[in-house]
Amino acid sequence: MSTIKPFRVDIPQTQLDDLAERLRRSLWPSELPGVGDSYGVPGGRVRGLAQYWLETFDWRALEAKLNAYPQFTTEIDGENIYFLHIRSSRADALPVVLTHGWPGSVLEFLDVIESLTAPESAEHPAFHLVIPALPGMGFSGPTRSTGWTMRRVAKAWIELMDRLGYQRFGAIGNDGGSMVSPEIGRLAPDRVVGVHVTQLFSFPSGDPDEFVGLSPEDLAALEHLKWFQDNKMAFNILCSQQPQTLAYALCDSPIGLLGWNAQLFGESLDADFVIGNVALYWLTGTAGSSVRYYYEEAHSTDRPTGSTTTPTALAMFKGDFQSIRRFAERDHSNIVSWNSYDAGSVIGGPNDAAGHFAAHEAPELLVGDIRRFFAEVG
């Protein structure tokens, strides 16, 4: 059960042909004129992405890019786990596990692999990278059991690092990975040298005293959070209550999957990145299983208590979720680095969420922050 097997991406051409035929035969919904995105992702954006997917996007090129790196699978806690494992040539390299979220994938970290494993200067820290796909996502395949919360993923990642022989390591995360990584530190504080994330999802507790003396920046962050909850949380509510009902549409229609996932891919992201992530879910049959995490988290009774104590770093980006330090320090007692960056790609309003996929959108900024943090704690 603990066997680690080499893996290579090789999607059958019949699957790609079927996908192309489905894209050509898409049935499109009607759309009201002049409503913009107030009813959801506009048809113009989805049609443009769909055309790119059919006529321009090259899955085989992406496949070759993945196959240029060592890939493996193993079974942990009854589930198949796919991961990339790229070792640095440096003897002093620190192992780190990097965790994505939804609707992202391991693809979001491809742009930082070289700079983290083979830095141009000997003064920069180097890293051995372990980049797993969350159970139920991508090449890990659909989950076969219930109860896969982010905390359970954290336990699985600790087991994965054990199997790879890494007793001392760091944890890096984005989106759902920003929930998994602090839990890794909580569960193995004697082994995790530091946790680096792009969001700290700490929210008001309801105590009015928490709001006293908040800075204008923090108040603006709260206003944006309220706007998001009032206008963009439909995906969370539906996936938390009826993910299987949604799964029928996502697994039967590439356009349906594209429209659903595109709501959380910023408008400034390049089409290759958006389509690459959507195609990965489609071709691995994980469109439905990928959204079960919302249900599992909403119904979990295995809640962590108390604050984390592992050294923690936040690198947040303009346009993305804005963490508020007062709330974050309530949940994480050892925040040693807190930085905010502008990815330089915000193109118009809160719908863009520029910077959410920082490893792809602003790799140099993110790598610099990771290097500084682990040079300090590692």
Side-chain angles (χ1 to χ4, degrees):
M1 300 294 286
S2 61
T3 301
I4 294 176
K5 303 176 182 179
F7 181 88
R8 183 176 178 82
V9 182
D10 186 15
I11 297 296
Q13 185 61 42
T14 53
Q15 272 191 265
L16 299 179
D17 293 342
D18 174 74
L19 168 59
E21 181 61 22
R22 287 171 182 265
L23 288 170
R24 279 190 288 266
R25 296 177 61 247
S26 296
L27 300 176
W28 293 93
S30 63
E31 190 170 17
L32 293 170
V35 298
D37 61 4
S38 59
Y39 281 69
V41 182
R45 182 168 189 237
V46 180
R47 286 177 182 270
L49 287 169
Q51 183 177 3
Y52 189 90
W53 195 354
L54 178 61
E55 299 177 359
T56 306
F57 177 73
D58 186 348
W59 170 261
R60 293 302 186 199
L62 179 57
E63 199 172 70
K65 191 173 184 179
L66 284 168
N67 286 334
Y69 299 111
Q71 302 164 88
F72 305 89
T73 61
T74 191
E75 185 174 317
I76 299 177
D77 197 8
E79 300 292 346
N80 183 64
I81 304 297
Y82 159 91
F83 61 98
L84 295 94
H85 184 200
I86 306 101
R87 290 183 57 85
S88 172
S89 62
R90 290 256 298 267
D92 62 342
L94 175 71
V96 290
V97 55
L98 298 90
T99 311
H100 66 87
W102 177 86
S105 70
V106 298
L107 300 183
E108 62 188 81
F109 296 119
L110 295 184
D111 295 326
V112 299
I113 289 176
E114 183 176 354
S115 54
L116 289 177
T117 57
E120 63 279 5
S121 170
E123 297 180 357
H124 295 320
F127 303 90
H128 303 309
L129 305 183
V130 180
I131 311 175
L134 289 168
M137 299 194 190
F139 294 110
S140 286
T143 44
R144 301 184 289 259
S145 58
T146 61
W148 276 97
T149 62
M150 295 303 177
R151 185 170 174 82
R152 187 173 172 186
V153 172
K155 296 175 183 177
W157 281 190
I158 294 170
E159 171 64 21
L160 177 60
M161 298 303 272
D162 276 342
R163 293 186 188 181
L164 296 174
Y166 295 137
Q167 294 303 306
R168 179 177 177 272
F169 58 92
I172 297 171
N174 177 58
D175 192 79
S178 288
M179 299 170 67
V180 172
S181 298
E183 287 308 301
I184 297 174
R186 186 197 302 274
L187 293 166
D190 56 331
R191 298 176 57 188
V192 179
V193 300
V195 170
H196 187 285
V197 294
T198 41
Q199 304 90 11
L200 284 170
F201 294 112
S202 295
F203 303 97
S205 67
D207 182 354
D209 290 341
E210 284 188 330
F211 300 99
V212 176
L214 284 178
S215 69
E217 292 79 13
D218 287 343
L219 291 173
L222 278 175
E223 282 299 315
H224 180 67
L225 177 62
K226 183 178 185 303
W227 175 89
F228 191 89
Q229 183 170 349
D230 291 344
N231 294 277
K232 297 293 181 180
M233 284 291 282
F235 74 93
N236 190 307
I237 296 170
L238 178 53
C239 293
S240 296
Q241 295 179 352
Q242 296 194 57
Q244 190 64 25
T245 303
L246 173 66
Y248 300 110
L250 300 186
C251 294
D252 187 61
S253 168
I255 294 298
L257 177 61
L258 176 60
W260 183 259
N261 286 21
Q263 66 182 305
L264 294 172
F265 282 115
E267 297 159 359
S268 59
L269 283 165
D270 57 283
D272 272 310
F273 182 76
V274 176
I275 297 301
N277 279 278
V278 175
L280 184 60
Y281 284 105
W282 177 264
L283 294 170
T284 57
T286 56
S289 57
S290 67
V291 298
R292 293 175 188 156
Y293 280 92
Y294 292 95
Y295 182 94
E296 303 294 359
E297 289 290 335
H299 293 81
S300 174
T301 58
D302 181 20
R303 303 287 184 185
T305 57
S307 61
T308 68
T309 59
T310 304
T312 299
L314 172 72
M316 63 180 172
F317 287 78
K318 183 178 180 181
D320 191 19
F321 177 87
Q322 297 298 292
S323 302
I324 296 175
R325 188 154 191 168
R326 180 180 298 180
F327 305 148
E329 289 179 337
R330 178 197 64 212
D331 300 332
H332 308 282
S333 64
N334 195 8
I335 298 173
V336 299
S337 177
W338 183 285
N339 293 310
S340 180
Y341 299 99
D342 185 347
S345 57
V346 178
I347 64 169
N351 287 325
D352 188 49
H356 181 72
F357 297 97
H360 175 71
E361 297 178 77
E364 292 184 3
L365 286 175
L366 183 64
V367 166
D369 201 278
I370 290 171
R371 286 172 173 170
R372 286 187 293 273
F373 170 65
F374 283 105
E376 178 182 347
V377 302

